[in-house]
Amino acid sequence: MQLKNNQRLPELDWLRVILIFAVFIHHVCMPFNGDNWHIMNTESSKLLDDVMVYFEQFRLPTLFFISGVGAVILLSKISVKKFASDKLLRLLIPLIVGVLFVVPPQSYIENISQYESFWQAYPSLVLNLSTNHLWFIEYLIVFSLLAIPLNTFLNTKASTKVFKYIIKLTKFKGGLFLFVSLLIVIKISFSLFFPSDDNKIENLSSSSYYLFFFITGMIFVANKELWQRVCEHRLYHLIILLISTVIFYGYYYSPDLSDFLSLNVRWSIWWLVCCLVSWSALLTILGYAQFYLNKTPQWLRLSNELIYPFYIFHQTVIVVIGFYVINWQTSILIKIISLLFLSLITTCGICLFIIKPFNLFRFLFGLKLKGKTKLLLSNKT
């Protein structure tokens, strides 16, 4: 019942690009939502923050789900050894390069008043070894290595019992949504026992949450019938998402409940409503993407190729350009639009004219090599 090894899933190509672009827009808006980011505008928009907090719930979880799907597909095509070496090369090296050269300008801009120049500050900034927004890659390295034994289990007879149970759930129109109960238990339990706001891999309240989406991506793509159910039940998932959204904003805008509920209870309710939105949104997005986004145009192939270095560079570009934009004497809307276009043009320019043409930069930022260098390396291996 598995999907064919050579079967391409164009909906994943679309979603990967759309979601990374959504991350880009999110970071463009961060200086203006009053959330104490790397750079902040003097004015902020509460409405903008209220909208952004909603989309935060499912953007990255869906990306981790897609990464889990990709891990199973790749493991069906190549050996475990090749998979591990490929992931280490295409994830670990860009992470190291990013920490050494891409992240430091952000830290410099954030604390620019403390330094005489970037080059004077650079040694101390590098020694911080901050992953910053590249924590996503750090997670993927660990999750990809965990995917090897998990994928082995998914191909055993023991896993057939698990799939039979899940398929039974899908006989009910909202059956797949019941996965949210496990997500809620994971999120609340780990967040209460390991309270932390950072995104370090050792922070189990964060890593366990995203690992759930990665593993469910592996499970869903490992069974053709289960994958099809997501598309077939998309309308029901949309209805659940709309209901979850009402519950989400109902609690978000609720009056102060501190006189009636303890802090832990209030946070637990918040995590619960966030889980409702994140899981129902994922199912809805994936279902409608399967139905409508079933072709991969040429421009999308190029976008998919460059989306990885785009992600690596985008936030640094936004912070550097944004440092100057937020000082303009104009409205928040004009600043956001200007920052969006200036950052988009700059980041795309870096990817198209610096990373894409040269194999050295392709290697350093996780792209496949091209031409004679690729042929030479393949012959050696």
Side-chain angles (χ1 to χ4, degrees), residues 54-55 57-58 177 233-249 273-286 288:
Y54 176 76
F55 289 95
Q57 307 311 318
F58 55 84
F177 181 69
H233 296 171
R234 61 190 181 279
L235 177 59
Y236 299 94
H237 295 149
L238 175 59
I239 294 171
I240 294 172
L241 173 59
L242 294 175
I243 295 172
S244 299
T245 301
V246 171
I247 296 172
F248 176 87
Y249 275 113
V273 298
C274 289
C275 288
L276 294 179
V277 170
S278 62
W279 185 244
S280 59
L282 185 152
L283 293 175
T284 303
I285 291 168
L286 185 61
Y288 279 95

Side-chain angles (χ1 to χ4, degrees), residues 129-347:
L129 297 177
S130 171
T131 56
N132 207 305
H133 68 290
L134 303 182
W135 66 266
F136 179 78
I137 301 176
E138 184 182 8
Y139 276 42
L140 286 183
I141 294 172
V142 177
F143 291 178
S144 296
L145 295 178
L146 291 175
I148 296 173
L150 287 170
N151 187 68
T152 301
F153 171 76
L154 292 176
N155 287 287
T156 62
K157 290 183 179 180
S159 69
T160 57
K161 294 181 180 180
V162 177
F163 283 117
K164 284 182 180 178
Y165 176 75
I166 296 174
I167 294 301
K168 283 183 179 179
L169 286 179
T170 64
K171 291 181 179 179
F172 304 98
K173 300 300 184 182
L176 288 175
F177 181 69
L178 296 179
F179 270 81
V180 78
S181 57
L182 178 58
L183 176 61
I184 290 170
V185 170
I186 292 172
K187 181 60 179 176
I188 294 178
S189 299
F190 281 93
S191 295
L192 289 176
F193 287 105
F194 305 97
S196 178
D197 291 331
D198 64 52
N199 287 313
K200 294 180 179 178
I201 189 68
E202 60 267 25
N203 175 16
L204 295 181
S205 63
S206 174
S207 56
S208 62
Y209 177 73
Y210 290 118
L211 181 60
F212 171 87
F213 291 95
F214 186 89
I215 293 175
T216 51
M218 294 182 66
I219 293 172
F220 277 41
V221 79
N223 187 279
K224 186 177 181 180
E225 187 175 352
L226 185 57
W227 190 258
Q228 291 173 340
R229 286 287 191 274
V230 178
C231 182
E232 293 169 1
H233 296 171
R234 61 190 181 279
L235 177 59
Y236 299 94
H237 295 149
L238 175 59
I239 294 171
I240 294 172
L241 173 59
L242 294 175
I243 295 172
S244 299
T245 301
V246 171
I247 296 172
F248 176 87
Y249 275 113
Y251 186 72
Y252 182 79
Y253 286 118
S254 64
D256 184 11
L257 300 174
S258 56
D259 291 337
F260 310 99
L261 302 173
S262 68
L263 181 62
N264 283 343
V265 171
R266 281 178 280 142
W267 270 114
S268 297
I269 296 173
W270 172 247
W271 293 323
L272 184 149
V273 298
C274 289
C275 288
L276 294 179
V277 170
S278 62
W279 185 244
S280 59
L282 185 152
L283 293 175
T284 303
I285 291 168
L286 185 61
Y288 279 95
Q290 286 184 38
F291 188 78
Y292 289 107
L293 306 178
N294 47 32
K295 292 182 181 179
T296 306
Q298 188 60 40
W299 68 266
L300 186 61
R301 294 180 187 274
L302 176 62
S303 299
N304 255 283
E305 179 187 10
L306 299 179
I307 202 66
Y308 187 29
F310 181 92
Y311 170 77
I312 293 172
F313 281 99
H314 84 279
Q315 184 167 300
T316 296
V317 172
I318 290 170
V319 170
V320 172
I321 296 177
F323 176 75
Y324 299 98
V325 171
I326 61 174
N327 291 306
W328 293 356
Q329 300 302 312
T330 186
S331 67
I332 288 179
L333 180 60
I334 296 298
K335 290 180 181 180
I336 290 176
I337 294 173
S338 301
L339 181 57
L340 189 152
F341 281 103
L342 290 172
S343 301
L344 182 62
I345 292 169
T346 304
T347 310

Side-chain angles (χ1 to χ4, degrees), residues 42-61:
T42 52
E43 289 182 86
S44 62
S45 169
K46 180 64 167 64
L47 176 61
L48 180 63
D49 188 46
D50 293 349
V51 173
M52 290 172 66
V53 72
Y54 176 76
F55 289 95
E56 284 177 356
Q57 307 311 318
F58 55 84
R59 187 180 56 250
L60 288 176

Side-chain angles (χ1 to χ4, degrees), residues 33-86:
N33 73 343
D35 206 21
N36 194 29
W37 200 51
H38 302 285
I39 53 171
M40 293 305 300
N41 193 54
T42 52
E43 289 182 86
S44 62
S45 169
K46 180 64 167 64
L47 176 61
L48 180 63
D49 188 46
D50 293 349
V51 173
M52 290 172 66
V53 72
Y54 176 76
F55 289 95
E56 284 177 356
Q57 307 311 318
F58 55 84
R59 187 180 56 250
L60 288 176
T62 306
L63 280 171
F64 277 110
F65 181 94
I66 292 172
S67 299
V69 172
V72 171
I73 294 175
L74 187 58
L75 280 165
S76 69
K77 297 178 180 179
I78 61 178
S79 67
V80 168
K81 182 179 179 181
K82 181 70 171 64
F83 175 85
S85 62
D86 180 79

